[in-house]
Structures are given as C-alpha cells and as structure tokens.
Amino acid sequence: MKERRYSWEERTQAPLLVLAVAFGVAYAVPIVAPGADPWVHRLCTHVEWAVWAVFALDYLVRLAIAPSRWAFVRSHPLDLLAVLLPMVQPLRLLRLVSTLLLVGRRARMAPQITLTTYVAGAVVGLLMFGSLAVLHVERDAPEGNIKTLGDAVWWSFTTMTTVGYGDHAPTTGLGRVLAVGLMLSGIALLGVVTANIAAWFISRFDRDDAVERRQTELLEALTQEVRELRAEVARLAPPAEGVVTAQAAAPAQAVVPPPASAPAAPAPTAPTA
C-alpha cells in the first residue's frame, strides 16, 4: 500500500503543480484587473474552486490507499486543514491559504526539488500572494494606504525581510493578520536559508577534515609497514661469513715489532812498528 501511495504521488506531482500555477493566475486576475468583464471573474472563481477540489480529491485518494488511515491523518494535519478551510467559510483568501498549504506539502515530498529551490519558490510565492492578498483587503479600506500593486509588493518585501519602514501598513484587522503571517513566514524562510548555508559550510569542512584524517592514517600505516619490513629483513638476512671471520681474527693477531739493529763493529787498528 505504501508503494501505491508513493507511485500516486509521483504521477500526480507535475499536474498538481501546473494546477497550482493556474490557481495563482485565477487568483491574481480579479485583483490586478478589478474592472474586467464579469465572466472573467466568474471563470477565475470556477478555476479556483476546481483547483481546490482536485487537491482535495488528491488528499482523499492518498488517504484511501494509505496503509493506516488514522496514522495518515495524524501525520498530515496541514493537508486536512487545507481541505476543510474553504468548506467552513468559502472566502477567496481561505482558498488561497489552503491551496498554498497543499502545494507546499506536495513540493516538499518531491525528491527532485532541492531545499534551495523550494525555499526560493516559497519566497517568490509568499511575496506574490501576500501582495495580492493585502491589496485585495486594503484597497477599499477607508483609511488604507495600500492602493496599488506596487505599494502592496513594496509592503510585502519590507515585511518579509522584517525591515518595516512604516510608509505602508495595513489598517484592517484581516490585513494585520496577513502581516503577522507574512512576518513569521519571512523569519522562518530566512532561518532556513541561514541554516542551509551554515550546514553547507559545516559539511564542506567536515569533508576536508575527513580527507586529511584519511591521508594521515594512510601515511602512518605506510610508515609502520616500512618499519616492520625493515625488521623482518634484518632478522632473515645472515651476516656475510668473510666479514665475521676477519672481524673475529683481527683482535688475536699480535703486533710484532721490527728487530732492533745490531751495533756496528769497531774498526780494526793498524799495528805499531
């Protein structure tokens, strides 16, 4: 059963990501172009609901083929929350939140998506959808100062990076809830990026240390082997016989001094007359 679930998730990964992009377009069009024809707004609403329904169906299929359904529900609480949110209150913002939760969950399960790619996509997605959501909420507020898409993007960027210049700020309760969520998400993503960079440096240093330690161990083993070989050669090779005989006879030889020279005979004397 677990293999069936993994096979299902692998086959549906790409289509669900494409549907997520379609949802993003359908969510953005009515906010960016509020004066569009009514059929455009209706079409976007139908696309949003259809995408949410497909993600909900995907959750139900994975639940049905899971080995333990109760364990699946306990291990995927965000998926269940994302499926139930639009049914409790059919707001466009809740459909946005639920779809983002489902897309993020499936993206994390994709083995071909690395952490860096996922974080970059999450940053772009939060920036875009946060801007659209706050613009949708604050544009018609009487005291709101976020009236254009440029203002919303600038506000989202300063909020996610926790800079907060204060030139643009939400004034409605829902807008402030969005601001809190965006701030927490920005801090979390910055923490993930920092941790990823630190982990990369640590793994690089550990790898270099491991290589150096292995080289040192190989040198020590080679040195010990050379010492053992030298000792074995010295034990097995006998000393040369001629050298031993000469060395043994040399101390026994006596040093004979040369003979002393005899005294010279006296010269004969001539007879006297």
Side-chain angles (χ1 to χ4, degrees), residues 133-268:
V134 76
L135 179 63
H136 176 66
V137 172
E138 294 289 326
R139 180 164 48 194
D140 298 329
E143 300 179 358
N145 56 4
I146 302 176
K147 302 296 184 181
T148 64
L149 183 60
D151 295 340
V153 172
W154 172 252
W155 171 82
S156 297
F157 193 83
T158 56
T159 302
M160 286 186 63
T161 55
T162 66
V163 175
Y165 287 110
D167 50 352
H168 295 287
T171 57
T172 63
L174 188 56
R176 289 171 179 172
V177 170
L178 286 172
V180 172
L182 203 60
M183 284 185 285
L184 295 178
S185 301
I187 294 173
L189 288 175
L190 288 177
V192 171
V193 172
T194 305
N196 191 24
I197 295 174
W200 182 82
F201 277 110
I202 292 174
S203 63
R204 183 64 180 270
F205 293 151
D206 290 342
R207 187 165 58 251
D208 294 341
D209 291 341
V211 172
E212 291 179 0
R213 286 195 301 268
R214 182 170 178 79
Q215 291 177 350
T216 304
E217 292 173 358
L218 289 175
L219 288 176
E220 291 177 353
L222 182 60
T223 304
Q224 183 64 27
E225 186 176 353
V226 170
R227 290 175 181 172
E228 293 176 356
L229 288 175
R230 286 181 176 177
E232 187 70 16
V233 169
R235 186 178 65 84
L236 295 178
E241 184 177 354
V243 175
V244 173
T245 304
Q247 292 177 350
Q253 290 178 353
V255 179
V256 179
S261 56

Side-chain angles (χ1 to χ4, degrees), residues 11-35:
R11 288 198 305 268
T12 58
Q13 182 67 42
L16 289 179
L17 291 179
V18 173
L19 288 177
V21 174
F23 176 88
V25 175
Y27 180 81
V29 168
I31 298 176
V32 177

Side-chain angles (χ1 to χ4, degrees), residues 35-82:
D37 295 336
W39 68 269
V40 176
H41 290 258
R42 287 195 301 270
L43 177 62
C44 293
T45 301
H46 294 332
V47 170
E48 292 175 7
W49 278 109
V51 172
W52 170 83
V54 171
F55 274 98
L57 178 62
D58 171 71
Y59 176 82
L60 294 177
V61 170
R62 290 189 289 131
L63 177 63
I65 63 179
S68 175
R69 297 179 181 178
W70 177 240
F72 180 83
V73 172
R74 287 185 302 172
S75 60
H76 298 76
L78 292 180
D79 292 13
L80 180 61
L81 181 63

Side-chain angles (χ1 to χ4, degrees), residues 74-95:
R74 287 185 302 172
S75 60
H76 298 76
L78 292 180
D79 292 13
L80 180 61
L81 181 63
V83 170
L84 295 179
L85 272 178
M87 298 177 63
V88 175
Q89 181 68 27
L91 293 175
R92 298 183 71 243
L93 185 59
L94 290 182
R95 290 200 301 275

Side-chain angles (χ1 to χ4, degrees), residues 94-114:
L94 290 182
R95 290 200 301 275
L96 168 66
V97 174
S98 63
T99 306
L100 286 177
L101 288 175
L102 291 171
V103 172
R105 180 69 180 177
R106 291 306 299 269
R108 284 194 297 272
M109 290 187 296
Q112 69 272 19
I113 299 179
T114 60

